[in-house]
Amino acid sequence: MKNITFKRRFIFSILSVLILSMLFTFVGIYIDLKLTEKNIILRSNYYESIVPDIEKYISENKDRVLNKNFKGNLEKIIPLQGIEYEVVDSRGELLYGYFKESIVNTPVKLRKEPEIDKSSTPKMIKYVPIIYNNKIQGMVIFKYYLRSSASNPKYNWIVKYSENIMLLSPFIYIIIFTAIFASRLNKKLKIPLKQLMDGAEKIKNKDLDFTINYNSKDELGRLCKSFEEMRSELKKSLNHQWQMEQERKEMVSAIAHDLKTPITIIKGHVEGLIDSKRFDEDKVYRYLNLIDNNADRMTKLIEKMNILTKIEKSDFTLKYKKCNIIEFINEKSFDYNILAEDKKISFKCIINDERTSKALVSMDCYALSEILDNLISNSLRFTKEGGNIELNLNLTEEKMALCISDTGCGFSKKDTLNIFKKFYQGDESRSKEKGHSGLGLYIVKALVDKFNGKIEAENNEKGGAVVKVNIKLI
């Protein structure tokens, strides 16, 4: 019954109660009939059926019955456990008898014919006249009851109560079996309900480190499974929320640290200019250039913070638009080439279009631009003068594969494991020198994930860095 529904279980319980109640009632009736058949229990008219034989015996013995010495003979015929009697003479006065209390008040009026007083049923009083020589010489008065009784009078009380119980037995059995099945059902319900109540109390107290262990296919089993799934998802959600909260704290701390350096530099140079008694044009230009660079550094950091905040929102979605991807990459390459030339680095873009159709593709160009900008700026940051940066684009009907390689210092083993983590800065001293915040590649990874794409970082044969991005085309 563990895996059946409560509806079927309820119907099964009701039918079981009714069937068992009927069965036990019939068994009780059968036992009663067998005991009656063997005269262990005497039927209600048993003593009434014996009275005619006693009457016949009295008729045969006539006046002998009036003799007190005949009492022993008469009591051999009369079953005293169920019949009381009195013998009165011709004047209606008591001669002898067997009774607990007087059956009638004497003197009693004699009757010519046998009569039965049924006025106080089930108690029956029968008057049997003794007629001799056509005269009423006396009378025998019998008292018996029309009710079931035991052959042994000591057990009459059992028979008396069993009759009442027999009438009520179907209802008694229904109550008993209902209590039994209700108790069993309560035990089955108690285990999952206790787990659910304890679980609800723990959730109320912000404790999610527990499990609901109740495996069943019924409604409660499904409820417990749903509750456990809710607890698990809630725990994941809260852990994610706590993690995000912790990351926010770390981000604020990291940003405060990253902003402190350019602010200190700007403040120091401004104070230097203020304290100068005479202005040297070269010095002023140099100071202003440093102030401008550090202001740009802070601006870029704030821009990355804004992008990161936007990406990490639960409602953030990519905005796809039709675009010419070849033209878009060429425009971006033109910008990157100018930046590379300023640093005396060679930049090269190679495009391989394997598509049969040169149709426009759906793409979030802003997100793709952020990915390329961060990857190329990373290569520019760590590639020395005279080095090379190469952007490879391979287009098929199904996907777009980007590969950015450089001749820079590449990645260490630690870098390849942590490079896409938030605030990871690799070589700390080098990162500080270059103004690196540790957010660029994290943003790239987050956006690639939004595209349902893949990103990998490794070193090429010459020791430089290689980053591969695969994005499915819509």
Side-chain angles (χ1 to χ4, degrees), residues 62-68 87-88 95-96 130 137-138:
K62 296 180 180 179
D63 59 335
R64 293 174 62 193
V65 176
L66 299 172
N67 190 335
K68 291 182 181 180
V87 178
V88 298
L95 290 174
Y96 66 90
I130 300 172
Q137 303 295 328

Side-chain angles (χ1 to χ4, degrees), residues 176-435:
I176 291 171
F177 288 117
T178 299
I180 291 171
F181 279 93
S183 176
R184 290 181 62 191
L185 185 61
N186 179 59
K187 287 181 180 178
K188 289 181 180 294
L189 294 175
K190 192 174 181 181
I191 296 172
L193 288 178
K194 186 176 185 304
Q195 289 191 42
L196 289 171
M197 288 188 291
D198 290 345
E201 186 65 25
K202 287 183 178 181
I203 290 175
K204 178 183 174 183
N205 295 324
K206 299 179 181 179
D207 178 11
L208 295 170
D209 294 323
F210 66 93
T211 54
I212 301 292
N213 296 315
Y214 183 76
N215 297 318
S216 176
K217 294 181 181 179
D218 59 22
E219 292 88 338
L220 266 180
R222 294 196 295 271
L223 175 62
C224 288
K225 183 179 178 182
S226 298
F227 191 95
E228 174 60 20
E229 289 173 355
M230 179 197 72
R231 180 205 66 81
S232 179
E233 290 301 317
L234 185 59
K235 185 177 181 180
K236 288 178 183 177
S237 176
L238 288 177
N239 284 340
H240 179 66
Q241 184 178 339
W242 294 331
Q243 185 179 353
M244 285 184 64
E245 188 65 29
Q246 183 63 30
E247 287 178 355
R248 283 193 190 97
K249 291 179 181 179
E250 291 175 357
M251 183 171 69
V252 170
S253 176
I255 289 169
H257 181 271
D258 286 340
L259 287 174
K260 185 178 179 181
T261 302
I263 289 172
T264 302
I265 293 172
I266 290 171
K267 185 174 177 57
H269 285 79
V270 169
E271 288 175 352
L273 289 172
I274 293 171
D275 293 338
S276 296
K277 293 181 180 179
R278 71 181 179 86
F279 290 98
D280 184 336
E281 186 177 342
D282 291 337
K283 183 179 180 182
V284 170
Y285 178 78
R286 189 170 65 255
Y287 276 27
L288 289 175
N289 190 45
L290 286 169
I291 290 170
D292 183 58
N293 289 337
N294 282 278
D296 287 343
R297 180 178 170 184
M298 288 190 293
T299 302
K300 289 178 182 178
L301 183 59
I302 291 169
E303 285 176 355
K304 287 188 177 182
M305 284 172 54
N306 290 333
I307 294 168
L308 184 61
T309 303
K310 189 187 296 184
I311 293 171
E312 289 186 335
K313 284 184 178 179
S314 59
D315 58 349
F316 174 80
T317 54
L318 296 174
K319 296 178 181 178
Y320 288 92
K321 289 183 180 179
K322 292 287 185 179
C323 75
N324 186 325
I325 196 69
I326 302 295
E327 185 178 323
F328 174 79
I329 295 296
N330 282 328
E331 288 178 359
K332 296 297 293 183
S333 297
F334 180 77
D335 295 335
Y336 299 147
N337 191 52
I338 293 173
L339 292 173
E341 285 179 353
D342 290 342
K343 294 191 68 174
K344 299 180 181 179
I345 296 172
S346 173
F347 177 82
K348 188 177 182 181
C349 177
I350 301 172
I351 298 175
N352 180 28
D353 191 353
E354 297 179 4
R355 296 177 299 164
T356 55
S357 170
K358 308 301 180 182
L360 302 179
V361 297
S362 292
M363 178 60 60
D364 186 330
C365 291
Y366 174 79
L368 182 58
S369 179
E370 283 295 329
I371 291 171
L372 289 170
D373 288 349
N374 278 286
L375 292 177
I376 296 298
S377 64
N378 213 49
S379 291
L380 289 170
R381 183 180 298 117
F382 296 111
T383 301
K384 296 179 180 180
E385 290 185 6
N388 299 304
I389 297 175
E390 190 173 288
L391 168 60
N392 282 278
L393 170 65
N394 189 63
L395 278 175
T396 65
E397 303 289 348
E398 296 82 20
K399 69 177 182 177
M400 174 179 67
L402 290 166
C403 179
I404 295 92
S405 60
D406 60 51
T407 57
C409 56
F411 301 116
S412 66
K413 186 176 180 181
K414 182 181 178 183
D415 287 341
T416 55
L417 296 174
N418 302 286
I419 197 166
F420 296 115
K421 292 182 179 179
K422 191 186 293 186
F423 304 120
Y424 180 75
Q425 297 181 345
D427 187 339
E428 191 173 324
S429 61
R430 179 184 63 192
S431 298
K432 285 182 179 179
E433 181 186 343
K434 299 292 183 180

Side-chain angles (χ1 to χ4, degrees), residues 83-87 94 96-106 120 123 125 141-145:
I83 298 178
E84 297 179 12
Y85 75 95
E86 289 180 350
V87 178
L94 178 66
Y96 66 90
Y98 178 85
F99 49 85
K100 294 179 181 177
E101 56 183 42
S102 295
I103 298 172
V104 294
N105 295 324
T106 55
S120 55
K123 182 173 73 173
I125 298 175
I141 304 167
F142 298 102
K143 183 177 77 172
Y144 56 88
Y145 291 88

Side-chain angles (χ1 to χ4, degrees), residues 87-124:
V87 178
V88 298
D89 59 17
S90 57
R91 293 173 299 170
E93 296 292 344
L94 178 66
L95 290 174
Y96 66 90
Y98 178 85
F99 49 85
K100 294 179 181 177
E101 56 183 42
S102 295
I103 298 172
V104 294
N105 295 324
T106 55
V108 63
K109 183 180 177 180
L110 299 181
R111 291 163 170 79
K112 293 182 179 180
E113 298 292 335
E115 292 182 19
I116 298 176
D117 182 3
K118 299 181 179 179
S119 59
S120 55
T121 309
K123 182 173 73 173
M124 308 295 287

